[in-house]
Structures are given as C-alpha cells and as structure tokens.
Amino acid sequence: MTLEDRIAIVTGAASGIGRAIARRYATAGAMVAIADINREAAENTAAELNAAGAAGAIALVMDVTDEASVNDGVAAVMARWGRIDVLVSNAGVQIVNQIENYAFSDWKRMLAIHLDGAFLTTRAVLPHMYAQGSGSVILMGSVHSKEASPLKSAYVTAKHGLLGLARVIAREGAAKGVRANVVCPGFVRTPLVDRQIPEQARELGITEEEVVKRVMLGQTVDGEFTTPEDVAEVALLFAAFPTKALTGQSLVVSHGWYME
Ligand code: NAD
C-alpha cells in the first residue's frame, strides 16, 4: 500500500503509537506533520524520519484541546503543502481511578483530549478534504471502544464515543470522497501503558507482574502485547485503501483480546 505524494497529519506523533504511524506513513511515501503538544519530542521525531529518508516530515506544536492551536496547525500544513489527505487523531492520555474517586477535572481533561481533540482536528481538516474531493480520517480508538475495564470510566466513555463520531464523519463525508474509520488496539507497551502498571497494581492491590499478565494480557490468545508497528499497519490500511468502500468501520488489533 502506498501513500506516495500524500499529506498526513498525525496527532500525538511525538511518542508511542503515533510516532510508529508517522514512521510507517513516511516509509509508504507520505509527507507527515508530527502534531504534538511536546515540541522537543515532535522535533526529534521529525528529524528522525527525515534522517531515515522521509519525503518530508515537520514538527507541528499543537494542543488538540485548543481550538486556535488546532486551526493554526492545520493552516500551517495547508500553507506548506496545500492539501491534507490523511488525519490520524491519535493524541491521548490515561487517568485511572475508581468512579467515586475520579476528579471532575480529570474527567473533563480526558474527554477534552480524546473527544474534543478528535472533533476539533476533524473539523479543521474536513473543508480541505471536501475541496479536494478525497480524504481519510482515522480516529485512535481502543479495545476500550468496545469493552469496559474498571478504573477507566472516562477513557472507556471517550473511546466508545469515537465510534459514533467516525460513523457520522463517514455519513457526512461520503458525498465528498471522505472516509472515516477507527483503529482499536489492545495493550501496547508505550509510556501511556508503562505509567498505568504501578498505578493499577496499587489500585487493585496486586503485583505489577499480575497487572501485566492478568489485567492487560489475560484475555489475549497468546499473552502478547500488541506493538506500535502492528497498529501502524492498520492505520496504513485505512489511510491507503484504494476505494471508498472501507468507511465507518473499526478494526481491533489486540492479539485476540476482543473478538467480534
Ligand atoms: P503516548 O503517551 O506514548 O503518546 C501520546 C502522545 O500524545 C504524546 O506524545 C503526548 O505528548 C501527546 N499528547 C498528549 N496530550 C496532547 C494534546 N493535548 N495535544 C497534542 N498532543 C498531546 O501514548 P500511546 O500509547 O502512543 O497512545 C496514543 C493513542 O493510542 C491514545 O489515543 C491512546 O488512548 C491510544 N491507545 C493506546 C493503547 C496502548 O496500550 N498504549 C491502546 C489502545 C489505544
């Protein structure tokens, strides 16, 4: 699958899954904007991709919860490359706690990054995709778009919500050639997950090894973590699919943790 001459924006691309997607898109020929709140890490990622022979990678400082920051970032990509073919709304964080102890401020922060971020970035790119008559919007869901786990009320709520948003984008965008899909990974060993292991061990009163073996990988078919590269392959499929048929879908990549 090729992304030759395509322009992609990947949010949260300075780390983890987003960085792997940006790298995969670059090797498939795309020019990639590494949009992240972390300037230094975004610049390092862009430099790494360019050193590896990317057609063009740029760092874009963007806070996906901030309307002006998102609009300015998308405008900067348009000014540089004149089109936007792929948006991957991937930026995300995790805050775990029992509902009765979940701070309202944490709840709002989680929904802002995952849901406002997806909405704002989508809204900013759609006029350009509509004008071109083509585009692919990819939202980063999770197995938690389909399953619930304790301690993750805001995350599960937000990730379920992204399925609804993608379906509406698919319906509204079809006439203008825009597709929308959701990637739903199982546990991937990134900083987001590494931080959760001691937190969950504390909250659930079990060891860190038990968190990994039972809570994170207990339902998989083979006890293995999904990798950022696994997720990037699915993101490439959604981005590069050659016809308009693949839209409004979600695809779980989780070593069989969740089967549908
Ligand atoms: P990560 O912590 O490695 O990377 C997240 C990136 O998002 C960081 O570079 C961070 O700076 C950036 N970010 C955070 N807030 C931002 C904001 N307001 N604006 C712009 N950028 C911001 O995390 P990851 O594991 O790679 O997660 C990426 C996405 O994948 C998230 O949406 C997450 O929910 C989803 N996901 C992760 C897993 C997993 O197991 N790691 C599983 C399923 C889904």
Side-chain angles (χ1 to χ4, degrees):
M1 293 222 158
T2 176
L3 289 176
E4 211 67 46
D5 299 328
R6 306 277 182 85
I7 310 299
I9 300 177
V10 184
T11 72
S15 173
I17 291 171
R19 183 164 59 189
I21 293 171
R23 199 185 295 127
R24 187 68 188 90
Y25 283 5
T27 58
M31 282 146 275
V32 191
I34 313 293
D36 205 286
I37 201 166
N38 184 335
R39 175 192 296 273
E40 194 186 340
E43 284 172 353
N44 288 342
T45 301
E48 179 207 313
L49 297 193
N50 286 325
I58 58 166
L60 205 59
V61 180
M62 180 189 286
D63 177 353
V64 298
T65 68
D66 184 285
E67 187 175 8
S69 172
V70 169
N71 290 343
D72 288 351
V74 169
V77 173
M78 284 302 293
R80 181 170 183 118
W81 285 314
R83 57 184 292 125
I84 298 168
D85 299 290
V86 184
L87 165 69
V88 184
S89 170
N90 163 81
V93 297
Q94 179 61 282
I95 303 174
V96 291
N97 215 329
Q98 302 275 2
I99 294 175
E100 68 272 26
N101 299 325
Y102 214 100
F104 189 32
S105 54
D106 286 344
W107 169 268
K108 285 194 278 199
R109 179 159 174 257
M110 285 292 288
L111 298 197
I113 295 175
H114 291 274
L115 289 179
D116 297 0
F119 164 72
L120 288 172
T121 51
T122 298
R123 192 186 63 174
V125 300
L126 278 184
H128 307 298
M129 291 181 171
Y130 286 173
Q132 298 158 196
S134 67
S136 174
V137 174
I138 297 161
L139 307 183
M140 189 52 64
S142 164
V143 163
H144 286 111
S145 298
K146 299 171 185 255
E147 274 282 357
S149 293
L151 307 176
K152 296 191 174 174
S153 52
Y155 190 79
V156 170
T157 300
K159 292 302 192 190
H160 274 64
L162 292 175
L163 296 179
L165 177 60
R167 290 168 183 155
V168 176
I169 301 166
R171 292 240 179 251
E172 291 187 4
K176 307 271 177 48
V178 172
R179 299 180 296 109
N181 294 287
V182 184
V183 184
C184 297
F187 278 101
V188 182
R189 203 78 198 252
T190 66
L192 179 141
V193 159
D194 282 338
R195 274 191 292 272
Q196 281 175 62
I197 295 172
E199 286 171 11
Q200 291 220 23
R202 218 169 27 247
E203 286 286 330
L204 299 170
I206 57 179
T207 66
E208 293 191 14
E209 290 74 48
E210 283 175 314
V211 170
V212 171
K213 271 191 100 155
R214 285 196 359 229
V215 179
M216 295 186 165
L217 303 178
Q219 302 297 317
T220 63
V221 294
D222 52 11
E224 286 193 29
F225 276 104
T226 303
T227 66
E229 290 71 30
D230 295 326
V231 183
E233 289 301 325
V234 177
L236 178 63
L237 171 75
F238 281 142
F241 198 77
T243 76
K244 296 199 287 181
L246 187 61
T247 192
Q249 303 306 306
S250 55
L251 203 150
V252 181
V253 53
S254 70
H255 282 265
W257 165 14
Y258 183 83
M259 298 190 189
E260 54 185 358

